[in-house]
């Protein structure tokens, strides 16, 4: 059973940066591992995903050029580096896993086929 624990959230001003970390336990080979966020009253939004079978990366519409996902298989960690943060990036960020590798169909599909996710870490960006 995959378990995920996020850390690294916080409060920053517009233009700031944060690096989120996710400690992964359990076997995730062949999974699509990534991050989604959710703001109050809004639906889940896929941010970035990596296909552990091959390493291909997929980004959501809000991420390209500002966010970067990475994994460390030795430490069993997943990371999300977020730069040039904007107030609309505010939300709870969750690390998540999909064993069926639906990220090949895009981040929007992946976020609706999750098998496990963590409790999340809050990111608040003030203007």
């Amino acid at each position: 059973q995959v378990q995920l624990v996020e850390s690294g959230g916080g409060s920053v001003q517009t233009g700031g940066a944060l690096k989120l970390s996710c400690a992964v336990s359990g076997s995730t080979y062949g999974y699509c591992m990534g991050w989604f966020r959710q703001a109050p009253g809004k639906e889940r939004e896929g941010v970035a995903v990596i296909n552990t079978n091959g390493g291909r990366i997929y980004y959501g519409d809000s991420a390209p050029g500002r966010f970067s996902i990475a994994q460390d298989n030795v430490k069993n960690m997943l990371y999300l580096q977020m730069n040039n943060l904007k107030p609309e990036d505010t939300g709870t960020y969750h690390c998540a896993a999909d064993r069926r590798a639906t990220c090949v169909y895009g981040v929007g599909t992946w976020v609706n086929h999750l098998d496990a996710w963590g409790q999340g870490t809050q990111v608040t960006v003030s203007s």
Side-chain angles (χ1 to χ4, degrees):
Q1 183 176 357
V2 175
Q3 293 185 323
L4 308 162
V5 179
E6 305 93 338
S7 61
S11 297
V12 297
Q13 293 187 327
T14 297
L18 286 171
K19 184 176 182 179
L20 306 183
S21 299
C22 174
V24 181
S25 60
S27 177
T28 58
Y29 179 75
Y31 283 42
C32 285
M33 302 292 297
W35 296 87
F36 72 89
R37 67 188 184 188
Q38 191 160 23
K42 295 188 177 181
E43 295 184 352
R44 290 178 181 176
E45 178 187 3
V47 176
V49 187
I50 185 166
N51 188 336
T52 61
N53 185 7
R56 184 170 179 177
I57 291 173
Y58 307 81
Y59 287 107
D61 292 340
S62 61
R66 299 192 301 125
F67 295 177
S68 178
I69 188 172
Q71 63 177 355
D72 184 330
N73 292 326
V74 174
K75 297 181 179 180
N76 290 330
M77 296 291 293
L78 188 70
Y79 303 101
L80 183 69
Q81 176 67 49
M82 304 187 295
N83 300 322
N84 191 22
L85 284 162
K86 305 174 182 180
E88 51 264 41
D89 294 319
T90 294
T92 302
Y93 284 68
H94 298 263
C95 177
D98 158 36
R99 60 183 170 84
R100 291 158 289 184
T102 60
C103 62
V104 298
Y105 303 109
V107 175
T109 298
W110 171 80
V111 78
N112 292 315
H113 292 83
L114 302 177
D115 295 294
W117 55 91
Q119 291 190 331
T121 185
Q122 178 66 33
V123 171
T124 303
V125 185
S126 58
S127 57

PDB file of all heavy atoms in Angstrom, residues 2 26-33 49-56 58 71 73 97-104 110 115:
ATOM      1  N   VAL A   2       0.593   2.149  -0.921  1.00  0.00           N
ATOM      2  CA  VAL A   2       1.384   3.370  -1.038  1.00  0.00           C
ATOM      3  C   VAL A   2       0.918   4.395  -0.011  1.00  0.00           C
ATOM      4  O   VAL A   2      -0.281   4.631   0.141  1.00  0.00           O
ATOM      5  CB  VAL A   2       1.256   3.943  -2.460  1.00  0.00           C
ATOM      6  CG1 VAL A   2       1.967   5.295  -2.565  1.00  0.00           C
ATOM      7  CG2 VAL A   2       1.821   2.959  -3.481  1.00  0.00           C
ATOM      8  N   GLY A  26       6.182   2.295   0.047  1.00  0.00           N
ATOM      9  CA  GLY A  26       5.498   1.327  -0.790  1.00  0.00           C
ATOM     10  C   GLY A  26       6.054   1.358  -2.200  1.00  0.00           C
ATOM     11  O   GLY A  26       6.671   2.333  -2.626  1.00  0.00           O
ATOM     12  N   SER A  27       5.828   0.296  -2.928  1.00  0.00           N
ATOM     13  CA  SER A  27       6.342   0.196  -4.288  1.00  0.00           C
ATOM     14  C   SER A  27       5.494   1.018  -5.251  1.00  0.00           C
ATOM     15  O   SER A  27       4.270   0.888  -5.278  1.00  0.00           O
ATOM     16  CB  SER A  27       6.341  -1.268  -4.744  1.00  0.00           C
ATOM     17  OG  SER A  27       6.764  -1.361  -6.087  1.00  0.00           O
ATOM     18  N   THR A  28       6.164   1.866  -6.021  1.00  0.00           N
ATOM     19  CA  THR A  28       5.451   2.715  -6.977  1.00  0.00           C
ATOM     20  C   THR A  28       6.000   2.585  -8.389  1.00  0.00           C
ATOM     21  O   THR A  28       5.763   3.449  -9.242  1.00  0.00           O
ATOM     22  CB  THR A  28       5.515   4.192  -6.538  1.00  0.00           C
ATOM     23  OG1 THR A  28       6.893   4.584  -6.426  1.00  0.00           O
ATOM     24  CG2 THR A  28       4.809   4.400  -5.214  1.00  0.00           C
ATOM     25  N   TYR A  29       6.707   1.507  -8.662  1.00  0.00           N
ATOM     26  CA  TYR A  29       7.248   1.350 -10.011  1.00  0.00           C
ATOM     27  C   TYR A  29       6.092   1.175 -10.991  1.00  0.00           C
ATOM     28  O   TYR A  29       5.182   0.381 -10.787  1.00  0.00           O
ATOM     29  CB  TYR A  29       8.176   0.142 -10.117  1.00  0.00           C
ATOM     30  CG  TYR A  29       8.704  -0.026 -11.517  1.00  0.00           C
ATOM     31  CD1 TYR A  29       9.695   0.824 -12.006  1.00  0.00           C
ATOM     32  CD2 TYR A  29       8.177  -0.974 -12.387  1.00  0.00           C
ATOM     33  CE1 TYR A  29      10.160   0.711 -13.302  1.00  0.00           C
ATOM     34  CE2 TYR A  29       8.635  -1.092 -13.678  1.00  0.00           C
ATOM     35  CZ  TYR A  29       9.627  -0.262 -14.136  1.00  0.00           C
ATOM     36  OH  TYR A  29      10.075  -0.370 -15.423  1.00  0.00           O
ATOM     37  N   GLY A  30       6.183   1.931 -12.070  1.00  0.00           N
ATOM     38  CA  GLY A  30       5.122   1.866 -13.073  1.00  0.00           C
ATOM     39  C   GLY A  30       3.968   2.811 -12.794  1.00  0.00           C
ATOM     40  O   GLY A  30       3.062   2.944 -13.622  1.00  0.00           O
ATOM     41  N   TYR A  31       3.986   3.459 -11.661  1.00  0.00           N
ATOM     42  CA  TYR A  31       2.936   4.414 -11.309  1.00  0.00           C
ATOM     43  C   TYR A  31       3.203   5.750 -12.002  1.00  0.00           C
ATOM     44  O   TYR A  31       4.314   6.070 -12.391  1.00  0.00           O
ATOM     45  CB  TYR A  31       2.916   4.678  -9.808  1.00  0.00           C
ATOM     46  CG  TYR A  31       2.285   3.620  -8.940  1.00  0.00           C
ATOM     47  CD1 TYR A  31       2.506   2.266  -9.146  1.00  0.00           C
ATOM     48  CD2 TYR A  31       1.483   3.992  -7.868  1.00  0.00           C
ATOM     49  CE1 TYR A  31       1.932   1.313  -8.319  1.00  0.00           C
ATOM     50  CE2 TYR A  31       0.904   3.055  -7.029  1.00  0.00           C
ATOM     51  CZ  TYR A  31       1.143   1.710  -7.258  1.00  0.00           C
ATOM     52  OH  TYR A  31       0.579   0.781  -6.433  1.00  0.00           O
ATOM     53  N   CYS A  32       2.163   6.558 -12.061  1.00  0.00           N
ATOM     54  CA  CYS A  32       2.310   7.978 -12.340  1.00  0.00           C
ATOM     55  C   CYS A  32       2.238   8.695 -10.994  1.00  0.00           C
ATOM     56  O   CYS A  32       1.211   8.623 -10.305  1.00  0.00           O
ATOM     57  CB  CYS A  32       1.211   8.482 -13.264  1.00  0.00           C
ATOM     58  SG  CYS A  32       1.420   7.990 -14.981  1.00  0.00           S
ATOM     59  N   MET A  33       3.309   9.374 -10.634  1.00  0.00           N
ATOM     60  CA  MET A  33       3.419  10.061  -9.352  1.00  0.00           C
ATOM     61  C   MET A  33       3.437  11.563  -9.605  1.00  0.00           C
ATOM     62  O   MET A  33       4.153  12.033 -10.501  1.00  0.00           O
ATOM     63  CB  MET A  33       4.705   9.663  -8.643  1.00  0.00           C
ATOM     64  CG  MET A  33       4.850   8.172  -8.389  1.00  0.00           C
ATOM     65  SD  MET A  33       3.661   7.582  -7.193  1.00  0.00           S
ATOM     66  CE  MET A  33       4.171   8.501  -5.730  1.00  0.00           C
ATOM     67  N   VAL A  49       3.169  15.736 -13.116  1.00  0.00           N
ATOM     68  CA  VAL A  49       3.172  14.288 -12.943  1.00  0.00           C
ATOM     69  C   VAL A  49       4.391  13.696 -13.627  1.00  0.00           C
ATOM     70  O   VAL A  49       4.815  14.192 -14.681  1.00  0.00           O
ATOM     71  CB  VAL A  49       1.919  13.642 -13.570  1.00  0.00           C
ATOM     72  CG1 VAL A  49       1.852  12.167 -13.228  1.00  0.00           C
ATOM     73  CG2 VAL A  49       0.657  14.350 -13.114  1.00  0.00           C
ATOM     74  N   ILE A  50       4.922  12.635 -13.032  1.00  0.00           N
ATOM     75  CA  ILE A  50       6.020  11.917 -13.660  1.00  0.00           C
ATOM     76  C   ILE A  50       5.647  10.437 -13.775  1.00  0.00           C
ATOM     77  O   ILE A  50       5.128   9.845 -12.819  1.00  0.00           O
ATOM     78  CB  ILE A  50       7.337  12.116 -12.875  1.00  0.00           C
ATOM     79  CG1 ILE A  50       8.510  11.462 -13.590  1.00  0.00           C
ATOM     80  CG2 ILE A  50       7.219  11.597 -11.447  1.00  0.00           C
ATOM     81  CD1 ILE A  50       9.869  11.906 -13.049  1.00  0.00           C
ATOM     82  N   ASN A  51       5.865   9.888 -14.958  1.00  0.00           N
ATOM     83  CA  ASN A  51       5.632   8.465 -15.186  1.00  0.00           C
ATOM     84  C   ASN A  51       6.900   7.722 -14.754  1.00  0.00           C
ATOM     85  O   ASN A  51       7.951   7.871 -15.373  1.00  0.00           O
ATOM     86  CB  ASN A  51       5.335   8.230 -16.668  1.00  0.00           C
ATOM     87  CG  ASN A  51       4.897   6.807 -16.941  1.00  0.00           C
ATOM     88  OD1 ASN A  51       5.206   5.888 -16.182  1.00  0.00           O
ATOM     89  ND2 ASN A  51       4.163   6.613 -18.017  1.00  0.00           N
ATOM     90  N   THR A  52       6.788   6.953 -13.681  1.00  0.00           N
ATOM     91  CA  THR A  52       7.984   6.294 -13.141  1.00  0.00           C
ATOM     92  C   THR A  52       8.532   5.232 -14.087  1.00  0.00           C
ATOM     93  O   THR A  52       9.664   4.794 -13.929  1.00  0.00           O
ATOM     94  CB  THR A  52       7.682   5.658 -11.778  1.00  0.00           C
ATOM     95  OG1 THR A  52       6.663   4.678 -11.945  1.00  0.00           O
ATOM     96  CG2 THR A  52       7.226   6.698 -10.770  1.00  0.00           C
ATOM     97  N   ASN A  53       7.745   4.831 -15.066  1.00  0.00           N
ATOM     98  CA  ASN A  53       8.213   3.897 -16.087  1.00  0.00           C
ATOM     99  C   ASN A  53       8.697   4.697 -17.292  1.00  0.00           C
ATOM    100  O   ASN A  53       7.956   4.939 -18.234  1.00  0.00           O
ATOM    101  CB  ASN A  53       7.088   2.958 -16.495  1.00  0.00           C
ATOM    102  CG  ASN A  53       7.579   1.898 -17.467  1.00  0.00           C
ATOM    103  OD1 ASN A  53       8.767   1.783 -17.746  1.00  0.00           O
ATOM    104  ND2 ASN A  53       6.656   1.113 -18.001  1.00  0.00           N
ATOM    105  N   GLY A  54       9.917   5.147 -17.207  1.00  0.00           N
ATOM    106  CA  GLY A  54      10.485   5.918 -18.312  1.00  0.00           C
ATOM    107  C   GLY A  54      10.821   7.350 -17.964  1.00  0.00           C
ATOM    108  O   GLY A  54      11.670   7.961 -18.610  1.00  0.00           O
ATOM    109  N   GLY A  55      10.155   7.899 -16.959  1.00  0.00           N
ATOM    110  CA  GLY A  55      10.499   9.237 -16.495  1.00  0.00           C
ATOM    111  C   GLY A  55       9.863  10.392 -17.240  1.00  0.00           C
ATOM    112  O   GLY A  55      10.205  11.557 -16.998  1.00  0.00           O
ATOM    113  N   ARG A  56       8.935  10.127 -18.149  1.00  0.00           N
ATOM    114  CA  ARG A  56       8.316  11.247 -18.864  1.00  0.00           C
ATOM    115  C   ARG A  56       7.517  12.107 -17.894  1.00  0.00           C
ATOM    116  O   ARG A  56       6.844  11.594 -17.006  1.00  0.00           O
ATOM    117  CB  ARG A  56       7.418  10.740 -19.986  1.00  0.00           C
ATOM    118  CG  ARG A  56       6.817  11.876 -20.817  1.00  0.00           C
ATOM    119  CD  ARG A  56       6.141  11.379 -22.059  1.00  0.00           C
ATOM    120  NE  ARG A  56       5.563  12.502 -22.817  1.00  0.00           N
ATOM    121  CZ  ARG A  56       4.951  12.359 -23.983  1.00  0.00           C
ATOM    122  NH1 ARG A  56       4.838  11.169 -24.546  1.00  0.00           N
ATOM    123  NH2 ARG A  56       4.469  13.420 -24.595  1.00  0.00           N
ATOM    124  N   TYR A  58       4.768  15.347 -17.243  1.00  0.00           N
ATOM    125  CA  TYR A  58       3.612  16.059 -17.778  1.00  0.00           C
ATOM    126  C   TYR A  58       3.289  17.207 -16.821  1.00  0.00           C
ATOM    127  O   TYR A  58       3.300  17.028 -15.608  1.00  0.00           O
ATOM    128  CB  TYR A  58       2.394  15.129 -17.869  1.00  0.00           C
ATOM    129  CG  TYR A  58       2.640  13.840 -18.618  1.00  0.00           C
ATOM    130  CD1 TYR A  58       3.265  12.760 -17.996  1.00  0.00           C
ATOM    131  CD2 TYR A  58       2.251  13.712 -19.945  1.00  0.00           C
ATOM    132  CE1 TYR A  58       3.492  11.576 -18.676  1.00  0.00           C
ATOM    133  CE2 TYR A  58       2.469  12.527 -20.633  1.00  0.00           C
ATOM    134  CZ  TYR A  58       3.087  11.467 -19.994  1.00  0.00           C
ATOM    135  OH  TYR A  58       3.313  10.295 -20.673  1.00  0.00           O
ATOM    136  N   GLN A  71      12.026  13.385  -8.980  1.00  0.00           N
ATOM    137  CA  GLN A  71      11.956  12.269  -8.045  1.00  0.00           C
ATOM    138  C   GLN A  71      13.356  11.802  -7.688  1.00  0.00           C
ATOM    139  O   GLN A  71      14.286  11.922  -8.487  1.00  0.00           O
ATOM    140  CB  GLN A  71      11.152  11.105  -8.636  1.00  0.00           C
ATOM    141  CG  GLN A  71      11.755  10.483  -9.885  1.00  0.00           C
ATOM    142  CD  GLN A  71      10.964   9.288 -10.374  1.00  0.00           C
ATOM    143  OE1 GLN A  71      10.005   8.846  -9.732  1.00  0.00           O
ATOM    144  NE2 GLN A  71      11.351   8.743 -11.504  1.00  0.00           N
ATOM    145  N   ASN A  73      14.734   8.322  -6.467  1.00  0.00           N
ATOM    146  CA  ASN A  73      14.368   6.930  -6.213  1.00  0.00           C
ATOM    147  C   ASN A  73      15.167   6.322  -5.061  1.00  0.00           C
ATOM    148  O   ASN A  73      14.709   5.368  -4.430  1.00  0.00           O
ATOM    149  CB  ASN A  73      14.561   6.104  -7.477  1.00  0.00           C
ATOM    150  CG  ASN A  73      13.561   6.481  -8.552  1.00  0.00           C
ATOM    151  OD1 ASN A  73      12.423   6.834  -8.246  1.00  0.00           O
ATOM    152  ND2 ASN A  73      13.975   6.415  -9.811  1.00  0.00           N
ATOM    153  N   ALA A  97      -0.662   9.309  -6.257  1.00  0.00           N
ATOM    154  CA  ALA A  97      -0.168   8.170  -7.027  1.00  0.00           C
ATOM    155  C   ALA A  97      -1.309   7.508  -7.785  1.00  0.00           C
ATOM    156  O   ALA A  97      -2.428   7.394  -7.279  1.00  0.00           O
ATOM    157  CB  ALA A  97       0.467   7.156  -6.081  1.00  0.00           C
ATOM    158  N   ASP A  98      -0.990   7.061  -8.987  1.00  0.00           N
ATOM    159  CA  ASP A  98      -1.953   6.357  -9.833  1.00  0.00           C
ATOM    160  C   ASP A  98      -1.269   5.113 -10.384  1.00  0.00           C
ATOM    161  O   ASP A  98      -0.331   5.222 -11.165  1.00  0.00           O
ATOM    162  CB  ASP A  98      -2.419   7.295 -10.954  1.00  0.00           C
ATOM    163  CG  ASP A  98      -2.967   6.537 -12.141  1.00  0.00           C
ATOM    164  OD1 ASP A  98      -3.609   5.489 -11.934  1.00  0.00           O
ATOM    165  OD2 ASP A  98      -2.752   6.989 -13.282  1.00  0.00           O
ATOM    166  N   ARG A  99      -1.724   3.946  -9.993  1.00  0.00           N
ATOM    167  CA  ARG A  99      -1.056   2.713 -10.397  1.00  0.00           C
ATOM    168  C   ARG A  99      -1.358   2.306 -11.833  1.00  0.00           C
ATOM    169  O   ARG A  99      -0.678   1.452 -12.399  1.00  0.00           O
ATOM    170  CB  ARG A  99      -1.462   1.572  -9.448  1.00  0.00           C
ATOM    171  CG  ARG A  99      -2.950   1.289  -9.429  1.00  0.00           C
ATOM    172  CD  ARG A  99      -3.291   0.185  -8.407  1.00  0.00           C
ATOM    173  NE  ARG A  99      -4.719   0.061  -8.203  1.00  0.00           N
ATOM    174  CZ  ARG A  99      -5.515  -0.643  -8.991  1.00  0.00           C
ATOM    175  NH1 ARG A  99      -5.005  -1.278 -10.025  1.00  0.00           N
ATOM    176  NH2 ARG A  99      -6.808  -0.696  -8.741  1.00  0.00           N
ATOM    177  N   ARG A 100      -2.367   2.920 -12.437  1.00  0.00           N
ATOM    178  CA  ARG A 100      -2.721   2.563 -13.807  1.00  0.00           C
ATOM    179  C   ARG A 100      -2.032   3.438 -14.852  1.00  0.00           C
ATOM    180  O   ARG A 100      -2.272   3.287 -16.045  1.00  0.00           O
ATOM    181  CB  ARG A 100      -4.243   2.644 -13.981  1.00  0.00           C
ATOM    182  CG  ARG A 100      -4.980   1.557 -13.217  1.00  0.00           C
ATOM    183  CD  ARG A 100      -6.405   1.953 -12.950  1.00  0.00           C
ATOM    184  NE  ARG A 100      -6.498   3.013 -11.949  1.00  0.00           N
ATOM    185  CZ  ARG A 100      -7.617   3.492 -11.479  1.00  0.00           C
ATOM    186  NH1 ARG A 100      -8.773   3.027 -11.922  1.00  0.00           N
ATOM    187  NH2 ARG A 100      -7.616   4.459 -10.574  1.00  0.00           N
ATOM    188  N   ALA A 101      -1.186   4.341 -14.378  1.00  0.00           N
ATOM    189  CA  ALA A 101      -0.376   5.168 -15.292  1.00  0.00           C
ATOM    190  C   ALA A 101      -1.226   5.960 -16.274  1.00  0.00           C
ATOM    191  O   ALA A 101      -0.881   6.085 -17.454  1.00  0.00           O
ATOM    192  CB  ALA A 101       0.648   4.312 -16.045  1.00  0.00           C
ATOM    193  N   THR A 102      -2.298   6.535 -15.779  1.00  0.00           N
ATOM    194  CA  THR A 102      -3.180   7.298 -16.685  1.00  0.00           C
ATOM    195  C   THR A 102      -2.591   8.647 -17.061  1.00  0.00           C
ATOM    196  O   THR A 102      -3.184   9.374 -17.862  1.00  0.00           O
ATOM    197  CB  THR A 102      -4.557   7.508 -16.047  1.00  0.00           C
ATOM    198  OG1 THR A 102      -4.412   8.241 -14.826  1.00  0.00           O
ATOM    199  CG2 THR A 102      -5.256   6.189 -15.786  1.00  0.00           C
ATOM    200  N   CYS A 103      -1.438   8.988 -16.516  1.00  0.00           N
ATOM    201  CA  CYS A 103      -0.840  10.277 -16.896  1.00  0.00           C
ATOM    202  C   CYS A 103      -0.469  10.299 -18.367  1.00  0.00           C
ATOM    203  O   CYS A 103      -0.274  11.376 -18.940  1.00  0.00           O
ATOM    204  CB  CYS A 103       0.367  10.594 -16.025  1.00  0.00           C
ATOM    205  SG  CYS A 103       1.730   9.414 -16.140  1.00  0.00           S
ATOM    206  N   VAL A 104      -0.394   9.140 -19.010  1.00  0.00           N
ATOM    207  CA  VAL A 104      -0.087   9.117 -20.446  1.00  0.00           C
ATOM    208  C   VAL A 104      -1.171   9.816 -21.249  1.00  0.00           C
ATOM    209  O   VAL A 104      -0.965  10.198 -22.409  1.00  0.00           O
ATOM    210  CB  VAL A 104       0.117   7.679 -20.960  1.00  0.00           C
ATOM    211  CG1 VAL A 104       1.301   7.012 -20.266  1.00  0.00           C
ATOM    212  CG2 VAL A 104      -1.138   6.851 -20.770  1.00  0.00           C
ATOM    213  N   TRP A 110      -5.132  12.056 -15.300  1.00  0.00           N
ATOM    214  CA  TRP A 110      -4.459  11.498 -14.117  1.00  0.00           C
ATOM    215  C   TRP A 110      -5.132  11.939 -12.820  1.00  0.00           C
ATOM    216  O   TRP A 110      -5.344  11.099 -11.930  1.00  0.00           O
ATOM    217  CB  TRP A 110      -2.999  11.950 -14.127  1.00  0.00           C
ATOM    218  CG  TRP A 110      -2.251  11.639 -12.858  1.00  0.00           C
ATOM    219  CD1 TRP A 110      -1.696  10.439 -12.496  1.00  0.00           C
ATOM    220  CD2 TRP A 110      -1.973  12.549 -11.789  1.00  0.00           C
ATOM    221  NE1 TRP A 110      -1.099  10.541 -11.256  1.00  0.00           N
ATOM    222  CE2 TRP A 110      -1.259  11.820 -10.810  1.00  0.00           C
ATOM    223  CE3 TRP A 110      -2.272  13.891 -11.560  1.00  0.00           C
ATOM    224  CZ2 TRP A 110      -0.812  12.412  -9.621  1.00  0.00           C
ATOM    225  CZ3 TRP A 110      -1.836  14.471 -10.386  1.00  0.00           C
ATOM    226  CH2 TRP A 110      -1.120  13.740  -9.431  1.00  0.00           C
ATOM    227  N   ASP A 115      -5.116   6.663  -6.905  1.00  0.00           N
ATOM    228  CA  ASP A 115      -5.283   5.560  -5.971  1.00  0.00           C
ATOM    229  C   ASP A 115      -4.873   5.936  -4.548  1.00  0.00           C
ATOM    230  O   ASP A 115      -5.309   5.290  -3.589  1.00  0.00           O
ATOM    231  CB  ASP A 115      -4.447   4.362  -6.439  1.00  0.00           C
ATOM    232  CG  ASP A 115      -4.938   3.807  -7.751  1.00  0.00           C
ATOM    233  OD1 ASP A 115      -6.070   3.273  -7.771  1.00  0.00           O
ATOM    234  OD2 ASP A 115      -4.209   3.909  -8.762  1.00  0.00           O
TER     235      ASP A 115
END
